[in-house]
Structure formats: C-alpha cells, structure tokens
Amino acid sequence: MKLTIGVKLFLAYFIITASIVWFATDKISLRITNGIDQAAEEVMVDSANLLAQMVSSNIKDDEINVDEVRAIMSAYLNRELDVNIYSISKKNPNLQIYITNQDGIVVYDSKGKIEGEDYSQWRDVFLTLKGKYGARSSAYDASIEEPTADQKAHHVAAPIYHNGKIFGSLTVIKSVADLKPYVIAQKDQITEYAIYVLLISLLFGAGVSFVVTRGTRKLVKYTTALSKGETVVAPKIRQVEFAELAQAIEKLRVDLEGREYVEEYINTMAHELRTPITGIRGTAENLLMPMSSSQREHFVNNILDANKKMDMLVNRLLNLSRIERRDKLENVEKIDVKTLIKDVVQAPSRKGNISRRSIKIEYTIERDFSIKAEKLLAEQALSNIIDNAIDFTPPDSTISIKVSESNTHVNIQVQDQGKGVPEHARKQIFRRFFSSSRPDTGKRGNGLGLRFVKKIMSLHGGKVSLKNRFMEDGAVATLKFPIK
Ligand SMILES: Nc1ncnc2c1ncn2[C@@H]1O[C@H](COP(=O)(O)OP(=O)(O)OP(=O)(O)O)[C@@H](O)[C@H]1O
Ligand SMILES: [Mg+2]
C-alpha cells in the first residue's frame, strides 16, 4: 500500500502528539506522587510531635507509662471511621507508632512485633535521639528485606522530652499503600485529561491532513483530466504552494494549447485552401485554351469566386483566432435589442438571401429590451445564428425571432422550420470546422460560426444553445445575455 501525503502527515502528527502527551502525563504523575508524599510527611511530623508531647506527660518515676500508651493506641486503632475524602472512603485509622527509650530500645510497638528490639541504628531513631530530624522510608513490615514500592512505609520520628532532655523517640508510621488511592485517583484524572488532549489534537491533525490531501487530490484530478485532453478549469486551492502549482500547470496548459491551436489552425487553413487553389489552377489551365469570350468570362468568374472564398476563410479564421485569445470585453455599451436585430436582418448581404428564398421573418418582442455588450460582437453572434436559420430553413418558410426576459437574462431566440440538428451532429455543432451541407445547395460552410458565437457569449458572461424544436420541425438557437 502506498501512503498518501495526508496519511503520512497524520501518522507523524499522531506519533509526536502521543509522545508529548505520554511524556507530560508521566512527569506529572511522578510529581503528584511526590507531592502527596511530601504533604503526608508534613502531617506526620505534626502527629509525631503531638504524640511525643502526650507521651512526655505520661512519664512517671523516670519511666514511660507504656500501659497507658497501649490503652490509648488500641482504643484509637479500634475506632470505626466512615469518612469520605472526595471519592475515597476511609474506614479505620491506620497510623502506627513505636516508642524507644533513650538507648533506642523499642519499649512500645502498636503492631506488637518489635518490642524489646534495638532500633538505635534506624535512621529515624538514631537522628531523633541526637536531637535532629529523623525520618526514613522503608519496609512497613520490618521482616521484608527487599520491599516493593507498595510495601514501604514512611517513618517519621519526634523526640520525647523529660526534664528538658531527650528521653526517647516516637515514630509515626504511614504505609505507602494507604496513600496510593489518592495518587491513583489523581493519575486517573490526568489520564482522562491526556486522552481529551490527544483526541482534540488528533482531530486537528486529521483536519490538517484532510486540507493538505484535498489540495493534492484536486491537483491530481485536474492534471489527470488534462492528460486525458478534457477541458477543465484549474481548481481553486487555498494552500499557497498548491495554488502556485495549479497556476503553473494552468499556464503550461495554456501555452501548450496555444501551440496545438496554431497547429490546428494552420492544418485546417491549408486543407480548406487546397480546394479553391486546385480549382484556380484547373481554371487557369483551361483559360490557356482558345475559347469564346463568354466561356472566358465564365472561367474568370470561377477564379474570382474561389478567390472570394479564400479571402473569406482567411478573414473568418483571423477573426475567430483573435477573439479566442481575448479574455475580456472592450467598449461595452448599452444596446437596444430591437435595433440590433433590425440592423442584422436588414444587412444587404442577408436581405438579398431572405427575399430570394421567400423567407418570412416574424418578430415577437414583448417590449424594449437592452443588453450590455460590445456592439460588433453582439452583431456577429446574432448574424451567425440568423445565417444558420436562413441556410437550414426551406424556401417559403418562416423564421421567428423572439425576445424575452427571465430573472437573470435577456433571451434572443431564432426559430426556423428546417430539419433541425440530426442526432449524430448534436455533440459536434460547437466544434471548430464542423459543418454540414445545406439542404438547398449541398454546400458546406466553414464550421466556424457557432464556435465564434460561443466564445462571444462567454466573453459576455452569457450562453448560446441550439436545440431542436419540440414536436415541430426546425431548430431554435438562443442567445442569453445576462442582466447586470
Ligand atoms: N438552424 C440550424 N438548423 C440545423 N442545423 C444547424 C442550424 N444551425 C447550425 N446547425 C448545425 O450546426 C453546424 C455548425 O454551425 P456553424 O454555424 O458553426 O457552422 P456552419 O454554419 O456550418 O459554417 P459557418 O457558420 O462557419 O459558415 C452546422 O453545420 C449545422 O450542422
Ligand atoms: Mg453558421
């Protein structure tokens, strides 16, 4: 499997975030354990001193009244508690103590295990008897030699004074296991927060990688479409690098298209010019023969016809190529649609054609409409579709021109009564050089008209369409000019 850049990013993000969260959680947990231990020690110091003070007042005849202490401690240890400290409940007291005399011999042990033993070398007793602060952390049960962390206990001692001198020591013992629930509760809370942080940052990571992937996906889709020769618009990408890449590709595409375009133009021009050129040569050769002046006149007219055709083709190609390279309008003006139509229909070249084929023109113009357009281009667009209608409608038929308005557009429709566009031609009509022969004369056009119209309309932010009429013979060409 190949990993996409998005997946890689996400994985990297995941690993980094997870490590940071794990590291932070670990450190914080350690801190909390230490913090709880320190707080406990502070309370233990106070307890040890309070208890030592109480023992001090139980010294009789230079001896600690152990029986009294034993009674108090066992009463204390037998107490039943029902205390809830936040989420943790405490059922019985669990502070243990032992007391040594000034030689470090244990005279009392609340657990009843080590009485009589010499504890003078244990750090807590040793330091306390010397008048220093004595504490240690070691096995709760002295018989365990290598205690685990949970088997340890904190031991904090305080001196017992008698007559102003250190008379013995009292050690308070708190098992680490007793403190553990507090540590665990805090750790659980921290883990919960850590999971939230991880989830949120993962969501963010997923978002980031989605955005990046979307950019690349768009680019890939775009370039794939381009490589298949489809006409596609460059994708809109916000990510700067990708946007620049898309622009670069778009520029490359335009350059390449320009090159193909010129090639295509030259090829077709050569192809289209070949027929009249061959014709001219044939006719010229004929002219070399002896002939009557009327024959000569016929051949000369042929040559002039061919010349006219070539001239027209070259002009139309130049016009089309000029407009295809444009990307904005110049000299846009407000044009009255009725005047526009009248000018086009009554142009001398068209007028003759219309009357020769006895074509009637019918107008349905709801009211005065105007469009914003470049006048010459609007005229050319309309001329092309009207010429097509004239060419494809049979003699003695009617072409009807309708102007109407929708919310967004002014629509100019030209309907004829010809055979309409055959199924096989439907997809081709806007392609350069596609032309079918005219029903009357059998001659073809250049196949440039609709292409030209399409470009003009797109420059105006409008549209052209050519459809067959519904349930009737004929086609209807529509120009849609936007109302701005
Ligand atoms: N009114 C119409 N009725 C039927 N077919 C049409 C009509 N208008 C256009 N077409 C079809 O669309 C094709 C392309 O039209 P277009 O105007 O681009 O080229 P043309 O008229 O053949 O040549 P040119 O306009 O360059 O002289 C036509 O050859 C024809 O097949
Ligand atoms: Mg045409």
Side-chain angles (χ1 to χ4, degrees), residues 305-354:
D305 261 5
N307 183 272
K308 201 167 130 194
K309 227 184 225 160
M310 292 197 292
D311 200 38
M312 231 168 74
L313 178 65
V314 170
N315 274 335
R316 294 195 67 182
L317 270 172
L318 283 179
N319 268 341
L320 180 58
S321 97
R322 212 171 285 140
I323 191 155
E324 285 199 342
R325 322 226 108 218
R326 271 174 66 173
D327 54 10
K328 60 174 186 294
L329 292 172
E330 287 149 20
N331 312 322
V332 176
E333 54 189 299
K334 195 171 165 187
I335 297 168
D336 177 55
V337 178
K338 218 180 253 179
T339 321
L340 177 77
I341 295 173
K342 200 187 72 200
D343 287 351
V344 170
V345 173
Q346 294 178 354
S349 60
R350 223 156 272 125
K351 217 175 165 188
N353 231 343
I354 293 171

Side-chain angles (χ1 to χ4, degrees), residues 169-419:
S169 77
L170 182 145
T171 299
V172 171
I173 308 160
K174 182 96 204 158
S175 146
V176 168
D178 288 343
L179 294 173
K180 209 171 172 198
Y182 303 95
V183 176
I184 290 175
Q186 296 305 320
K187 277 189 182 169
D188 286 352
Q189 190 68 59
I190 290 173
T191 313
E192 200 180 313
Y193 289 149
I195 290 173
Y196 290 150
V197 170
L198 195 66
L199 282 181
I200 290 172
S201 59
L202 283 189
L203 223 65
F204 180 74
V208 169
S209 68
F210 173 75
V211 170
V212 171
T213 325
R214 195 177 46 178
T216 43
R217 260 205 314 267
K218 278 187 191 166
L219 269 182
V220 170
K221 205 170 143 200
Y222 171 58
T223 42
T224 316
L226 279 186
S227 70
K228 285 188 194 149
E230 291 167 15
T231 38
V232 271
V233 198
K236 285 205 176 67
I237 302 177
R238 264 193 254 157
Q239 182 61 38
V240 188
E241 294 85 351
F242 291 145
E244 279 171 5
L245 194 56
Q247 267 171 22
I249 294 175
E250 173 68 7
K251 191 175 171 302
L252 202 63
R253 182 187 71 83
V254 172
D255 287 353
L256 276 178
E257 253 186 14
R259 210 173 293 168
E260 275 174 24
Y261 183 76
V262 171
E263 232 167 71
E264 198 183 325
Y265 261 79
I266 291 174
N267 280 343
T268 336
M269 198 129 105
H271 183 258
E272 296 289 317
L273 289 177
R274 187 159 293 146
T275 323
I277 288 173
T278 328
I280 288 174
R281 183 169 3 130
T283 320
E285 277 165 6
N286 284 340
L287 277 174
L288 292 175
M289 315 267 195
M291 60 180 72
S292 68
S293 65
S294 71
Q295 270 176 322
R296 176 159 303 138
E297 195 179 328
H298 170 73
F299 283 128
V300 169
N301 278 334
N302 277 355
I303 291 178
L304 289 176
D305 261 5
N307 183 272
K308 201 167 130 194
K309 227 184 225 160
M310 292 197 292
D311 200 38
M312 231 168 74
L313 178 65
V314 170
N315 274 335
R316 294 195 67 182
L317 270 172
L318 283 179
N319 268 341
L320 180 58
S321 97
R322 212 171 285 140
I323 191 155
E324 285 199 342
R325 322 226 108 218
R326 271 174 66 173
D327 54 10
K328 60 174 186 294
L329 292 172
E330 287 149 20
N331 312 322
V332 176
E333 54 189 299
K334 195 171 165 187
I335 297 168
D336 177 55
V337 178
K338 218 180 253 179
T339 321
L340 177 77
I341 295 173
K342 200 187 72 200
D343 287 351
V344 170
V345 173
Q346 294 178 354
S349 60
R350 223 156 272 125
K351 217 175 165 188
N353 231 343
I354 293 171
S355 60
R356 187 158 19 87
R357 302 187 64 226
S358 323
I359 293 168
K360 276 201 295 294
I361 308 242
E362 192 184 86
Y363 299 93
T364 318
I365 301 178
E366 290 167 12
R367 58 177 176 83
D368 283 345
F369 291 103
S370 66
I371 53 172
K372 288 242 171 78
E374 206 175 307
K375 187 154 184 251
L376 205 68
L377 294 185
E379 273 174 8
Q380 282 173 335
L382 190 59
S383 307
N384 272 300
I385 61 169
I386 290 182
D387 282 343
N388 283 349
I390 296 171
D391 282 356
F392 286 96
T393 207
D396 290 318
S397 62
T398 305
I399 290 174
S400 70
I401 300 176
K402 284 186 188 168
V403 185
S404 62
E405 192 182 51
S406 72
N407 278 342
T408 48
H409 291 87
V410 170
N411 306 320
I412 305 176
Q413 287 189 327
V414 178
Q415 289 187 355
D416 61 59
Q417 296 181 322
K419 289 269 170 279

